[in-house]
Amino acid sequence: MVIEMQALADYIHIMSKPTPKTRLFVDSDIGSGAIVSPTNDQQHYLTTVMRLGDGDAVALFNGRDGEWLSQVTMTGRRSCDLVVSAQTRVQTVGPDLWLLFAPVKKARLDFIAQKASEMGCSRIWPVRTDYTQVSRVNDDRMLANAVEAAEQTERLDVAEVMDYTLLPAAISALDDSRTLVFCDEAVAGERLHNAVDVLAAAGPISRAAILIGPEGGFSADERLLLQKHENCLKVSLGPRILRADTAAIAALTCFQSVCGDWTA
Ligand code: SAH
């Protein structure tokens, strides 16, 4: 009983504090009393950009232990540790939603990684298709974008960033219980149904992979491969040809609003 009262008092104490504006993803384990050493970049961000000092609050998450409140302890003029005090949110599981896409050039690739993360994707997977122009993808940069977006959106996990993979290998790695949402513009004489109607008719979908092609579109061989794939829904995103980054957001929006976590 005494313990319950104490827990309640702690809870009220935590909840009465203003939510810290600064939220950081860290690799280390987080628990009451833990001392977390931020990376050099994070220390620079906390002390120089945000101008935080002793006692200022920072929210922490690591994708495993929920979200915790911590306080800055300065260890030098521009360096600090974070002392963890109490848990503010328990870990939850986000949607099992992957985005497979043919990468585009730098700024728009950053944009796709950020937006996929904001939209709740659990995995971001660049795939090389017949008409993809990009030969290398900087995984670290994509991950940094995914982390920054996770910090900003208040999600409790960070999307996994996969290595750049040939499309057929990525497709054969999907297991049959994952619905492949293949976004394609209609070829001559073809009538495609729009993503909202197709997803609504498909019923509940618990695991999905949305696929967006390159600026040059998919090749005939790729279209055959994709349509032969078990559990594939070929969908249209409307009558206009969208750029790949716009198409990714449009498809994620349709998915999240028809069968994803916007419906929860
Ligand atoms: N093949 C096109 C451009 C491809 S746009 C051309 O060069 O004319 C890049 C990707 O965005 C496409 O492969 C597709 O996955 C997606 N996309 C763009 N507009 C779309 C639409 N109206 N419906 C479905 N997918 C679309």
Side-chain angles (χ1 to χ4, degrees), residues 18-25 42 45-47 49-52 56-61 67-70 72 82 151-152 154:
T19 319
K21 283 200 190 69
T22 310
R23 196 166 178 270
L24 283 189
F25 173 78
Q42 288 174 329
Y45 172 72
L46 294 173
T47 61
V49 181
M50 298 304 290
R51 296 173 177 278
L52 301 186
D56 283 335
V58 175
L60 298 178
F61 67 110
E67 187 179 271
W68 292 74
L69 189 64
S70 73
V72 173
L82 294 166
E151 289 171 341
Q152 180 256 317
E154 304 205 350

Side-chain angles (χ1 to χ4, degrees), residues 183-239:
C183 301
D184 200 11
E185 328 82 70
V187 290
E190 188 182 24
R191 178 157 150 57
L192 279 180
H193 295 285
N194 79 68
V196 169
D197 289 348
V198 174
L199 291 169
I205 298 176
S206 53
R207 314 170 71 216
I210 290 174
L211 173 65
I212 302 293
E215 294 303 336
F218 292 100
S219 69
D221 286 352
E222 287 169 340
R223 289 198 165 101
L224 274 178
L225 170 91
L226 292 163
Q227 276 168 290
K228 272 200 311 213
H229 183 76
E230 197 74 42
N231 203 1
C232 172
L233 301 174
K234 190 174 180 185
V235 301
S236 156
L237 299 169

Side-chain angles (χ1 to χ4, degrees), residues 122-190:
S122 54
R123 178 177 281 193
I124 304 175
W125 197 344
V127 291
R128 183 154 197 173
T129 67
D130 290 344
Y131 302 149
T132 307
Q133 303 285 336
V134 173
S135 53
R136 278 189 60 246
V137 173
N138 183 337
D139 292 359
D140 291 343
R141 189 177 164 127
M142 277 220 309
L143 185 60
N145 277 299
V147 167
E148 201 179 305
E151 289 171 341
Q152 180 256 317
T153 56
E154 304 205 350
R155 60 186 279 179
L156 290 171
D157 60 346
V158 170
E160 180 185 16
V161 172
M162 301 295 283
D163 287 337
Y164 195 18
T165 308
L166 287 172
L167 178 70
I171 296 300
S172 64
L174 304 182
D175 83 58
D176 291 349
S177 66
R178 183 171 301 277
T179 305
L180 175 63
V181 182
F182 167 29
C183 301
D184 200 11
E185 328 82 70
V187 290
E190 188 182 24

Side-chain angles (χ1 to χ4, degrees), residues 60-88:
L60 298 178
F61 67 110
N62 61 5
R64 310 181 294 274
D65 299 321
E67 187 179 271
W68 292 74
L69 189 64
S70 73
Q71 273 79 34
V72 173
T73 303
M74 297 302 289
T75 53
R77 225 160 64 77
R78 294 220 165 82
S79 56
C80 65
D81 281 336
L82 294 166
V83 181
V84 179
S85 47
Q87 189 171 36
T88 45

Side-chain angles (χ1 to χ4, degrees), residues 11 34 92 115 125 144 186 230:
Y11 180 77
T92 48
K115 302 306 151 194
W125 197 344
E230 197 74 42

